[in-house]
Amino acid sequence: MTRSRLALLLVALPAAAVCAQPAATRFDGARAFEDVRKLVLIGPRPSGSPRIEDARKYIETQLAGAGLEVRRQAFEADTPVGPIQMANLVATLPGERPGRLVIAGHYDTKRFEDFDFVGANDAGSSTAFLIELARALEGRKNPYTIELLFLDGEEAVVDWIGDDHTYGSRHYVEAAEADGSLATLKALVLVDMIADRDLAMHREGNSTRWLTDIVWESARTLGYERHFLPSTTYIEDDHIPFLEAGVPAVDLIDLEYPAWHTRGDTMDKIDAKSLQIVGDVMLDALPKIEARLAGGGQ
């Protein structure tokens, strides 16, 4: 979901050496796929629309089923078409020590006037991924608090120019800077467009190297090298405001998706297996990320 790409650098980077612990949880890609289907049935879900409110209620209901309460971070965004009411959704899984790890994705869809854009991959996949991750992590003992962050307003209201994009992530970071809570934010993992049937993610060049190394090493360990490629691309996405604020961040995204921002971004273009792959990698990488943070890595 990002608009800017530079040339691929066909260079593999070494993985960070960290102390790993086995994941004791399981991600269900088929169940996440069903969540995408239900979101798509809602229809287009652009920021400020009645249908994005339906999506919020669906997210909140599913997270309640996983024993989580959801906090709405409501705000008014100044956009090229005027003010739009938006809301980030935040679900918190408590940890044993100070500090928090944020796993995020956006849940709004791009607005189009000439056709219905239902956004199965963009942003149904990231929304469903976070919902299923909440289920997978239920009951887990977390070294750090884990915050599942559903971002509104990633999409440009008109065009990805100037500040017409990443409204939710920019507001979240600004609010965290204002109230002092940014100091407790150890790292961000962002997911976006992760359900393409032909899943192929490049290392995102703006992302923090050690975080990227950990994720790609988990993918290699699990045998998913053909989906997590060694080449590098540069993408603007919701991780950029966090990076600019000094927060280590990694963006997991497959922008090589022919149906991106077309009427063809429908259920037949995505696959539960892709969601499963990213879920498996996330759960394998999570304890390694936590171990790195416990060791003071930034």
Side-chain angles (χ1 to χ4, degrees):
M1 279 269 352
T2 45
R3 327 299 137 203
S4 140
R5 303 179 61 119
L6 301 181
L8 296 180
L9 308 175
L10 301 177
V11 179
L13 300 176
V18 295
C19 181
Q21 2 172 334
T25 51
R26 183 179 181 277
F27 187 98
D28 188 336
R31 189 162 53 179
F33 188 83
E34 179 63 13
D35 287 318
V36 179
R37 188 185 69 80
K38 290 177 179 176
L39 288 162
V40 165
L41 286 174
I42 292 172
R45 306 171 300 282
S47 296
S49 69
R51 287 178 177 176
I52 199 171
E53 177 60 23
D54 293 337
R56 288 188 194 108
K57 291 177 180 176
Y58 180 79
I59 294 166
E60 290 167 342
T61 298
Q62 296 307 309
L63 293 180
L68 295 177
E69 293 184 2
V70 179
R71 173 174 64 88
R72 291 195 181 194
Q73 185 186 48
F75 63 100
E76 183 176 271
D78 183 14
T79 82
V81 299
I84 294 179
Q85 299 300 318
M86 299 186 185
N88 297 325
L89 306 179
V90 185
T92 302
L93 294 82
E96 297 175 343
R97 65 178 72 190
R100 59 203 166 97
L101 169 65
V102 174
I103 305 174
H106 77 100
Y107 70 99
D108 61 307
T109 58
K110 173 71 175 167
R111 65 177 59 206
F112 291 97
E113 301 298 332
D114 52 342
F115 65 90
D116 284 346
F117 178 70
V118 298
N121 198 23
D122 185 17
S125 66
S126 52
T127 309
F129 178 88
L130 293 177
I131 292 171
E132 178 57 24
L133 191 61
R135 300 177 186 127
L137 296 176
E138 185 177 7
R140 181 180 187 265
K141 292 184 178 180
N142 305 305
Y144 295 96
T145 293
I146 295 176
E147 199 170 270
L148 301 178
L149 175 59
F150 297 76
L151 292 163
D152 199 350
E154 187 271 354
E155 298 286 3
V157 175
V158 180
D159 291 309
W160 192 278
I161 298 172
D163 290 335
D164 187 17
H165 54 76
T166 59
Y167 293 96
S169 53
R170 287 188 288 116
H171 177 79
Y172 180 93
V173 170
E174 289 166 5
E177 288 175 328
D179 67 17
S181 63
L182 187 70
T184 69
L185 210 172
K186 299 290 186 179
L188 167 82
V189 178
L190 178 70
V191 295
D192 195 355
M193 295 176 63
I194 52 171
D196 185 354
R197 281 184 172 274
D198 185 21
L199 183 67
M201 288 189 287
H202 302 277
R203 297 171 62 104
E204 198 288 307
N206 296 301
S207 298
T208 303
R209 178 168 172 169
W210 68 260
L211 267 174
T212 307
D213 287 344
I214 288 175
V215 174
W216 258 249
E217 174 60 19
S218 285
R220 186 197 64 78
T221 299
L222 295 172
Y224 294 142
E225 297 100 319
R226 76 181 187 91
H227 304 289
F228 286 74
L229 305 175
S231 49
T232 300
T233 188
Y234 290 79
I235 297 175
E236 296 176 44
D237 206 348
D238 274 320
H239 63 313
I240 299 297
F242 290 86
L243 289 168
E244 291 176 343
V247 178
V250 61
D251 187 14
L252 308 183
I253 181 171
D254 175 7
L255 198 54
E256 294 182 355
Y257 180 63
W260 177 53
H261 283 185
T262 73
R263 67 175 75 246
D265 187 5
T266 48
M267 293 299 296
D268 58 309
K269 308 302 191 308
I270 68 171
D271 197 335
K273 292 180 181 178
S274 297
L275 288 163
Q276 186 68 57
I277 288 166
V278 181
D280 289 346
V281 170
M282 183 71 250
L283 290 180
D284 187 81
L286 180 57
K288 301 173 188 177
I289 293 170
E290 291 165 335
R292 171 70 182 242
L293 294 175
Q298 287 291 312

